[in-house]
Amino acid sequence: GDSVTQTEGLVTLTEGLPVMLNCTYQTIYSNPFLFWYVQHLNESPRLLLKSFTDNKRTEHQGFHATLHKSSSSFHLQKSSAQLSDSALYYCALSDMNYNQGKLIFGQGTKLSIKP
Amino acid sequence: NAGVIQTPRHKVTGKGQEATLWCEPISGHSAVFWYRQTIVQGLEFLTYFRNQAPIDDSGMPKERFSAQMPNQSHSTLKIQSTQPQDSAVYLCASSAHRGNTGQLYFGEGSKLTVL
């Protein structure tokens, strides 16, 4: 079945350093739709960015990610971490053509930014 | 727009008791999803409805969990004979069907604690 893998459970960084959170996926569908959701403490998950276009960079709120179908990856990056980036980040997968809307989430990566 | 509304926000039950969780999706959204969130498992898909019809309940523990959507503004998740391992935050989400790009809008969740 479909699955999403986030290899890091916890990432701790100093403010100002670059952020990279890994996400790889497995799916039988040819048109995967990838998402990053962010969940701050005591809040519900909300969409950060999304993409279904191969090799095209998508950006939002200083974060960016590029879907690479050849490597089944959708890593999240930011050039300079801020304290307010501390949160739980989920990578998620859906299929554009079938079961659209049902998201399969990875385990989540907790990002902790230190001053 | 009020967002997805979930009640109760917190529920404590004794082992073996029943728990019912309610969800009111965003007005006009035709798809409703239920997820379970725990520290260990992350966000697990349970079930979803589109235009009130059950589409996929592949994530539901079959014996004790059931979900209904009696009208377009209301969905319930019922857990019979609750067990300590059912303790989790249950998140409801909705999405628009027409022009759907897979974005889910989550409620604040119902935290269930089974003693």
Side-chain angles (χ1 to χ4, degrees):
Chain A
D2 296 343
S3 66
V4 176
T5 301
Q6 295 179 247
T7 51
E8 310 102 347
L10 171 65
V11 172
T12 302
L13 292 171
T14 301
E15 187 179 17
L17 290 181
V19 176
M20 181 163 172
L21 306 184
N22 291 316
C23 173
T24 56
Y25 63 90
Q26 286 187 309
T27 181
I28 63 172
Y29 301 112
S30 58
N31 293 304
F33 207 144
L34 273 294
F35 303 79
W36 278 99
Y37 277 75
V38 59
Q39 185 177 23
H40 287 94
L41 191 62
N42 297 323
E43 296 182 5
S44 57
R46 63 173 176 82
L47 180 67
L48 178 59
L49 47 77
K50 60 187 179 185
S51 177
F52 63 90
T53 305
D54 199 11
N55 297 318
K56 181 179 178 181
R57 174 170 162 150
T58 183
E59 301 187 36
H60 187 61
Q61 296 184 336
F63 287 89
H64 63 92
T66 303
L67 175 60
H68 292 296
K69 292 186 180 180
S70 60
S71 57
S72 299
S73 66
F74 191 57
H75 306 318
L76 182 68
Q77 299 182 67
K78 187 177 185 184
S79 59
S80 176
Q82 298 176 289
L83 294 174
S84 58
D85 294 330
S86 294
L88 185 56
Y89 291 80
Y90 286 103
C91 183
L93 165 72
S94 181
D95 175 68
M96 278 287 289
N97 299 320
Y98 178 76
N99 235 2
Q100 195 175 13
K102 172 187 171 183
L103 296 186
I104 303 299
F105 287 88
Q107 294 290 88
T109 297
K110 183 177 180 181
L111 179 63
S112 177
I113 307 299
K114 307 294 184 187
Chain B
N1 198 326
V4 176
I5 299 171
Q6 291 188 249
T7 55
R9 293 293 312 280
H10 302 276
K11 185 172 181 67
V12 180
T13 66
K15 181 179 175 181
Q17 293 184 329
E18 182 178 289
T20 300
L21 309 177
W22 284 267
C23 173
E24 179 181 331
I26 293 172
S27 178
H29 281 191
S30 57
V32 171
F33 302 80
W34 285 95
Y35 285 84
R36 176 168 62 183
Q37 184 176 33
T38 61
I39 293 174
V40 174
Q41 299 292 336
L43 277 168
E44 294 179 276
F45 169 78
L46 294 176
T47 185
Y48 90 98
F49 300 83
R50 179 169 291 146
N51 296 321
Q52 300 173 234
I55 302 298
D56 183 341
D57 67 353
S58 58
M60 293 278 272
K62 295 293 183 234
E63 292 184 348
R64 298 183 295 107
F65 284 58
S66 62
Q68 309 273 341
M69 191 161 184
N71 56 63
Q72 63 184 6
S73 61
H74 171 218
S75 177
T76 59
L77 179 67
K78 182 182 293 185
I79 308 171
Q80 296 177 309
S81 186
T82 55
Q83 303 296 310
Q85 61 264 30
D86 299 332
S87 296
V89 176
Y90 290 84
L91 288 163
C92 177
S94 69
S95 72
H97 177 57
R98 186 171 295 278
N100 183 21
T101 56
Q103 181 175 353
L104 301 187
Y105 296 82
F106 284 90
E108 295 188 320
S110 293
K111 184 176 181 179
L112 176 66
T113 302
V114 182
L115 301 176

